[in-house]
């Protein structure tokens, strides 16, 4: 992430370019625009990163809750099965009635631990609901991470564009300014995909990886 020092440097580059002759005023404008887009992409990236961290924490908490309830449910099922054995071996009718009542209560409790859709404000706090909620949090986390990666790529593109503009000022090579604009447009594309198709880059990388993997397997 670019900090205040880097942003100040970008402003200085634009100011120096504006004081020069030739095409440097136009280059100064390009630097300013790229720096503006860089600030936006950095802000969006930081927001997505924070959201991903929050979803990760919430998902971990839900999985911990799930494990705790699952352990309790398993303990109750084991106790219930043991009580069923005792029920078949005792001849005392009073004791049988007590054991049967206890088994019934344990069965209800185990069922409640497995599914309790009305708990947690209607979100559900049984193992079934907790696992579903945790998986949803992981999906939200992955989505935010994909957004973050898009914004990071965009920031890198804008920074490269600013460097190219600075080089154009020093060398008086206008082609570098055009290259900066092209790289900046790539950065805009990454910002756009971060909002519209956040999984696009991830999917493309997986597709390319699959092509290389398939090619390697066929070669062997």
């Amino acid at each position: 992430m670019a900090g205040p020092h880097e942003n100040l440097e970008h402003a200085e580059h634009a100011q120096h370019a504006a004081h020069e002759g030739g095409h440097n005023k136009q280059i100064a404008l390009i630097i300013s625009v790229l720096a503006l887009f860089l600030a936006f992409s950095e802000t969006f990236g930081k927001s997505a990163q924070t959201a991903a961290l929050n979803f990760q924490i919430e998902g971990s908490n839900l999985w911990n809750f799930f494990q705790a309830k699952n352990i309790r449910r398993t303990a109750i099922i084991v106790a219930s099965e043991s009580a069923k054995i005792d029920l078949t071996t005792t001849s005392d009718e009073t004791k049988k009635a007590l054991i049967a009542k206890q088994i019934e209560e344990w069965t209800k409790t185990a069922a409640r631990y497995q599914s309790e859709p009305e708990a947690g404000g209607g979100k559900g706090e049984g193992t079934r609901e907790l696992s579903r909620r945790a998986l949803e949090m992981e999906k939200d986390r992955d989505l935010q991470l994909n957004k973050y990666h898009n914004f990071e790529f965009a920031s890198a593109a804008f920074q490269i564009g600013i460097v190219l503009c600075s080089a154009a000022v020093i060398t008086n090579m206008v082609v570098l300014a055009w290259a900066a604009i092209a790289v900046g447009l790539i950065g805009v594309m990454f910002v756009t995909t971060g909002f519209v198709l956040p999984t696009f880059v991830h999917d493309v990388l997986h597709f390319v990886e699959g092509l290389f993997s398939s090619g390697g397997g066929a070669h062997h």
Side-chain angles (χ1 to χ4, degrees):
M1 294 286 179
H5 179 68
E6 288 79 1
N7 293 332
L8 181 60
E9 286 184 351
H10 299 156
E12 289 175 348
H13 288 186
Q15 184 180 10
H16 289 316
H19 287 304
E20 301 291 335
H23 297 281
N24 287 342
K25 285 189 177 181
Q26 290 88 342
I27 295 174
L29 179 61
I30 296 171
I31 292 175
S32 299
V33 172
L34 290 173
L36 176 64
F37 278 107
L38 174 60
F40 281 129
S41 64
E42 292 284 348
T43 301
F44 296 145
K46 185 64 177 177
S47 177
Q49 185 182 38
T50 302
L53 181 59
N54 290 335
F55 284 128
Q56 174 64 32
I57 293 171
E58 183 63 24
S60 296
N61 290 338
L62 288 170
W63 280 124
N64 290 335
F65 196 7
F66 167 86
Q67 291 290 353
K69 280 220 165 181
N70 198 42
I71 290 171
R72 292 179 197 168
R73 181 171 175 270
T74 302
I76 288 175
I77 291 174
V78 170
S80 179
E81 293 299 319
S82 178
K84 288 177 181 178
I85 296 174
D86 293 338
L87 188 63
T88 60
T89 58
T90 183
S91 58
D92 189 333
E93 293 300 325
T94 303
K95 188 175 181 180
K96 276 188 174 183
L98 291 173
I99 294 174
K101 184 178 179 181
Q102 183 63 68
I103 291 173
E104 183 181 359
E105 290 178 358
W106 278 339
T107 301
K108 290 179 181 178
T109 302
R112 190 177 75 252
Y113 281 161
Q114 184 179 36
S115 181
E116 198 174 9
E118 72 284 353
K123 294 180 180 179
E125 291 186 349
T127 55
R128 187 177 298 164
E129 291 82 21
L130 288 171
S131 62
R132 173 183 54 79
R133 290 169 59 191
L135 291 172
E136 288 174 355
M137 287 295 169
E138 289 180 351
K139 286 179 64 176
D140 291 336
R141 175 205 62 195
D142 292 341
L143 179 64
Q144 293 300 324
L145 283 176
N146 283 322
K147 288 184 178 182
Y148 169 69
H149 293 149
N150 277 278
F151 295 137
E152 281 290 279
F153 286 132
S155 296
F158 295 137
Q159 288 172 348
I160 292 171
I162 291 171
V163 170
L164 288 173
C165 282
S166 300
V169 173
I170 296 171
T171 62
N172 289 321
M173 295 177 62
V174 181
V175 66
L176 293 177
W178 284 106
I181 293 174
V183 174
L185 290 175
I186 293 174
V188 172
M189 181 196 72
F190 276 118
V191 171
T192 304
T193 56
F195 286 110
V196 181
L197 292 170
T199 63
F200 176 74
V201 176
H202 184 266
D203 293 339
V204 169
L205 290 175
H206 268 282
F207 176 74
V208 173
E209 183 182 351
L211 286 179
F212 279 103
S213 298
S214 300
H219 178 73
H220 289 295

